Amino acid sequence: MANNNQSKSKTSSKSKNYNKSTLASKGKTEEKHTIASSDSSVKVAGSKSNNDKDSKFVKHVWWLDALLFIGGTIVLGGIATLLGGKMFSFGNYQMPQGIVPKIVFPIAWAIIYIAIGVATFLMWRDKEIKASDRKINLIIYFVHMFFNIMWPLFFFRLDLPIFATVWLLLTVASACIVMYRYFVCNLPAGIIFSIYTLWLIYALYLNLAISIINF
């Protein structure tokens, strides 16, 4: 009888210990679930706030970016015209085959400056592009525009067609870099910039042909 009582007491103590451990493990599990759910709710709230900021940015500031990039590019085109002086006046140079009428050049360049401004605007407003990549693209774009606006100075005002040919070659090379990066990041921007790059290649042909024929 004594042995039976001792075995019963041992069994009851084991069951009590098991119940305590079970309750403790359940409490820890519930605590982990509570912490995980709170973390997920914080993440969801954070993502919602970020989305709200992005939506406000897209809704309220797009026109400012359009003014900055499109209008700024047009201003750079105006600077190029001022530096060139008598733009599209080829003087006594013998013209190569394939040159378009002079009236086409100012119209084409005006459209092109607006177009590449639009391309840069599209690239900058694409939120799927990393901010660091957008900044790098913008830096390369303005480096290219420096080459662009200086070419009329060398060709038209300073009358240095051979040097202008080398300079325009660098301009085309930098345009190809911008075109590639725009294609990778934003397809419409890349297509627009590729049309401009083809026009630059045509200008390079004219510049090179004038240098060869006249010198």
Side-chain angles (χ1 to χ4, degrees):
M1 294 292 293
N3 291 331
N4 290 333
N5 291 330
Q6 289 178 356
S7 62
K8 288 180 180 180
S9 61
K10 288 180 181 180
T11 302
S12 61
S13 62
K14 287 181 180 179
S15 62
K16 288 179 181 180
N17 292 331
Y18 176 77
N19 292 332
K20 288 180 180 180
S21 63
T22 303
L23 291 173
S25 63
K26 286 183 178 179
K28 289 181 180 179
T29 303
E30 291 176 355
E31 184 178 359
K32 288 181 180 179
H33 283 303
T34 302
I35 294 172
S37 61
S38 62
D39 290 339
S40 62
S41 62
V42 170
K43 289 180 180 179
V44 170
S47 62
K48 286 182 178 179
S49 62
N50 291 332
N51 291 333
D52 291 339
K53 289 180 180 179
D54 291 340
S55 63
K56 289 179 181 179
F57 178 80
V58 172
K59 183 177 180 180
H60 296 291
V61 194
W62 69 266
W63 58 268
L64 185 60
D65 286 342
L67 181 64
L68 177 63
F69 294 116
I70 301 173
T73 303
I74 294 172
V75 170
L76 291 177
I79 294 173
T81 303
L82 292 175
L83 290 175
K86 294 181 179 179
M87 289 284 285
F88 316 116
S89 176
F90 296 95
N92 296 321
Y93 289 144
Q94 184 179 350
M95 295 293 101
Q97 293 182 352
I99 188 169
V100 298
K102 290 183 180 180
I103 190 62
V104 175
F105 288 103
I107 297 172
W109 277 110
I111 296 172
I112 280 170
Y113 280 121
I114 295 172
I116 60 177
V118 171
T120 304
F121 167 74
L122 293 176
M123 180 279 300
W124 184 257
R125 295 296 297 183
D126 191 344
K127 295 306 172 184
E128 294 183 0
I129 306 173
K130 293 181 181 179
S132 59
D133 290 337
R134 283 189 283 128
K135 289 178 181 179
I136 293 172
N137 291 344
L138 193 61
I139 291 171
I140 298 174
Y141 172 72
F142 281 116
V143 170
H144 163 71
M145 291 306 298
F146 170 75
F147 285 105
N148 179 291
I149 65 177
M150 293 299 291
W151 173 77
L153 173 67
F154 300 133
F155 186 87
F156 293 104
R157 186 180 290 274
L158 299 180
D159 196 18
L160 300 171
I162 296 176
F163 181 80
T165 301
V166 177
W167 189 266
L168 191 53
L169 181 62
L170 296 175
T171 306
V172 172
S174 62
C176 290
I177 296 173
V178 178
M179 178 185 67
Y180 170 76
R181 293 189 65 89
Y182 279 18
F183 258 117
V184 171
C185 296
N186 186 284
L187 184 59
I191 293 173
I192 294 171
F193 215 88
S194 66
I195 298 171
Y196 159 66
T197 305
L198 291 175
W199 175 259
L200 279 182
I201 293 172
Y202 171 68
L204 178 61
Y205 154 72
L206 294 179
N207 198 158
L208 179 60
I210 289 172
S211 300
I212 293 173
I213 293 172
N214 295 276
F215 293 95

